[in-house]
Amino acid sequence: MPRIRRTRSLALAPSLGRALTLALALTAVVAAPAFGGAPASAATGSPATGSPASAATADAPATATADAPASASAASRVSAASAVPTVEEARLDRAVPQEILRRSGFDTAAPRFAASLKRAGSSAAAERAVVRHGGALWRRAVDRAQGRGPARGDLARDDDRPLYWARLAMTRELRVWQPGFGLSAGARARLLDRLESASRGQDSIRFPAGRGVKRVMMTGFDPFTLDRDIRISNPSGVAALALDGTLIRTADGSWARVEAVVFPVRWRDFADGTVERTLRRQLPRVDLFTTVSQGRVGRFDIERFNGAWRGGFPDNENVSSTGTVPVDDPAGQPQWTATSLPYAAIVTAETGPFPVYDNTRVTEVPAGGTAPVVRPEGPTPGSTARAGGGGDYLSNEIAYRATLLRDRLGLRDLPGGHVHTPVLRFGDGNAEAVQDPEFLRNRAAITAQVRSVIAVAAGPAGTPS
């Protein structure tokens, strides 16, 4: 097992700032899908691996206008719209999220943030408060997962759920906040965007200068399918918190420094370019990148091929999206991208208790054909993607976007690609408790194996297979 060393307490620096308009509170609540056989079944797979038939495609949430309201009545409508919680935020009032926040001590984050907003006398002061509290939330979650500072509760420390639910509690506070100064819908959208990026570690990526340490960029995801089971944790988010800012000893005795971020499970954020904004500056600086998500039961998969297709499975806002993955310059968009991780070395290494597979299976419409066909050995020339090895959900999409960005930046020799972890499940008979021995044991084992996979990929075998 590779050794790991903690190297820092994350420090927040100001973001470069983005003039991004974030889709806001007018999200249409689409009826929750019947999650028949979703992540708990290896046969059907999770949305991350080849999702079940999706509900009908829904329109994307309305985007709030960036202009100031033209009249008092318009201002009133904007204020009322901003006060409507999102589908994700509405789940906060259920018993399980409140228990997770209370038992982790993260129930104090949103009230403190709300008090800070109340003291803000200008947009600039509000933005400073947003960045400060968002960054502090990420650092607190990382420190808790890595054993630094008091636990502040009896929930196991290696848990991604307090970060997820506390972030939503904070975005809800920001959405309903009515300052004494004028705040347009666009300005509020910017504040929400800054809060998201700061609390996901996207503003605090710090790689060491000089040579001697390999640089590894890792991404994880929020919990998802919460209407099926509100208790769900995502092992990729757990691993991101556990590994962010750490050094891993590789097989040849060298060190690899990991920087990790977490992405939302929302179609609209991906269409808005959140993956590219976060990774574009980092990929030219790193020696390895890996996107990570929860996949199939009882196994790890190194996904060989990624497809340019959205299959429509509902996201955390219960919104569906079906069609070609939306990217800049669609005229030059390939149907497939491929991993450049050293998959042969990874699948043969002793990385942990779960088997690791080189997954080449895809679904395509063959050139000249009209019906989808499953191809166990990968796509055929001229085919149209319908599912990559990682399926047709956001796992496949983040892998597609990251590897497409690699190629467009001229970094085809940079090792990178997607790793699917096993599904994290509760013990048999546990229908209510937010953690149990099997859940905790498997979560720790998955994190340790992600660490080992990275150690292999970043070691002497870490060149494209």
Side-chain angles (χ1 to χ4, degrees):
M1 183 67 67
R3 291 186 294 156
I4 185 167
R5 189 170 73 190
R6 300 183 185 93
T7 61
R8 64 174 168 85
S9 175
L10 287 172
L12 180 66
S15 170
L16 295 178
R18 300 186 292 270
L20 169 71
T21 299
L22 183 67
L24 279 176
L26 300 180
T27 305
V29 180
V30 181
F35 290 101
S41 166
T44 58
S46 75
T49 62
S51 58
S54 65
T57 302
D59 291 334
T63 302
T65 177
D67 297 327
S71 65
S73 60
S76 176
R77 288 195 297 271
V78 169
S79 296
S82 67
V84 176
T86 67
V87 171
E88 284 187 285
E89 292 165 356
R91 297 187 184 104
L92 271 166
D93 296 324
R94 296 170 65 177
V96 165
Q98 292 302 311
E99 178 184 353
I100 289 170
L101 289 171
R102 184 178 65 256
R103 293 180 61 184
S104 63
F106 276 56
D107 55 344
T108 61
R112 289 175 178 171
F113 176 55
S116 185
L117 285 177
K118 188 175 181 179
R119 293 191 297 270
S122 67
S123 294
E127 184 163 355
R128 288 193 294 271
V130 163
V131 172
R132 183 173 68 254
H133 283 268
L137 182 65
W138 174 258
R139 292 195 303 275
R140 181 177 174 185
V142 169
D143 287 346
R144 193 176 195 276
Q146 296 181 15
R148 291 188 291 272
R152 292 191 176 92
D154 65 348
L155 201 69
R157 297 185 73 122
D158 61 329
D159 202 316
D160 61 318
R161 295 172 297 179
L163 171 64
Y164 175 72
W165 292 113
R167 181 192 301 114
L168 288 174
M170 290 168 67
T171 60
R172 188 165 69 174
E173 291 289 352
L174 181 54
R175 207 177 302 281
V176 302
W177 173 55
Q178 297 299 325
F181 55 90
L183 186 70
S184 69
R188 192 185 300 270
R190 175 178 169 78
L191 293 177
L192 285 162
D193 177 50
R194 296 303 306 277
L195 180 55
E196 285 277 338
S197 61
S199 65
R200 294 181 178 280
Q202 296 168 6
D203 293 349
S204 54
I205 301 169
R206 302 287 182 271
F207 284 110
R211 299 181 178 180
V213 177
K214 291 186 176 180
R215 299 164 180 83
V216 177
M217 188 73 233
M218 174 195 167
T219 73
F221 272 108
D222 287 345
F224 66 111
T225 64
L226 294 156
D227 290 330
R228 182 177 65 82
D229 189 341
I230 194 71
R231 303 173 299 163
I232 280 174
S233 166
N234 193 320
S236 69
V238 173
L241 294 176
L243 298 181
D244 183 50
T246 62
L247 288 172
I248 296 177
R249 178 75 80 174
T250 67
D252 64 353
S254 63
W255 290 102
R257 165 70 170 267
V258 179
E259 288 289 315
V261 298
V262 173
F263 284 103
V265 183
R266 296 190 296 249
W267 293 112
R268 63 177 171 87
D269 292 76
F270 277 55
D272 286 343
T274 183
V275 174
E276 291 82 359
R277 284 196 307 274
T278 303
L279 299 184
R280 182 175 286 110
R281 182 168 174 263
Q282 306 305 327
L283 293 194
R285 306 165 58 199
V286 304
D287 301 290
L288 171 79
F289 70 91
T290 180
T291 54
V292 184
S293 66
Q294 178 176 255
R296 302 169 179 89
V297 172
R299 59 184 279 182
F300 275 78
D301 288 279
I302 311 301
E303 305 297 355
R304 187 87 73 87
F305 302 105
N306 317 297
W309 186 254
R310 292 178 158 190
F313 192 87
D315 64 10
N316 275 351
E317 294 181 318
N318 290 337
V319 170
S320 297
S321 180
T322 303
T324 302
V325 170
V327 298
D328 291 339
D329 187 21
Q333 178 178 14
Q335 285 295 301
W336 306 97
T337 63
T339 190
S340 50
L341 290 173
Y343 53 83
I346 295 171
V347 299
T348 57
E350 293 293 333
T351 55
F354 298 100
V356 184
Y357 293 92
D358 168 23
N359 184 34
T360 59
R361 179 187 177 101
V362 302
T363 303
E364 67 175 20
V365 177
T370 57
V373 175
V374 174
R375 300 290 191 192
E377 301 302 324
T380 58
S383 66
T384 302
R386 284 298 178 269
D392 57 10
Y393 197 47
L394 288 164
S395 294
N396 168 77
E397 183 159 331
I398 196 170
Y400 178 84
R401 288 179 178 276
T403 49
L404 178 61
L405 182 62
R406 172 203 63 195
D407 296 346
R408 287 182 168 180
L409 291 173
L411 303 170
R412 291 180 181 273
D413 291 334
L414 174 65
H418 195 74
V419 175
H420 260 132
T421 76
V423 173
L424 181 59
R425 297 188 294 181
F426 293 95
D428 291 340
N430 175 13
E432 295 182 359
V434 299
Q435 62 184 22
D436 60 41
E438 180 177 344
F439 176 82
L440 296 176
R441 183 171 57 251
N442 287 337
R443 190 167 66 186
I446 291 169
T447 297
Q449 196 159 347
V450 170
R451 181 186 299 124
S452 295
V453 166
I454 290 175
V456 173
T463 55
S465 300

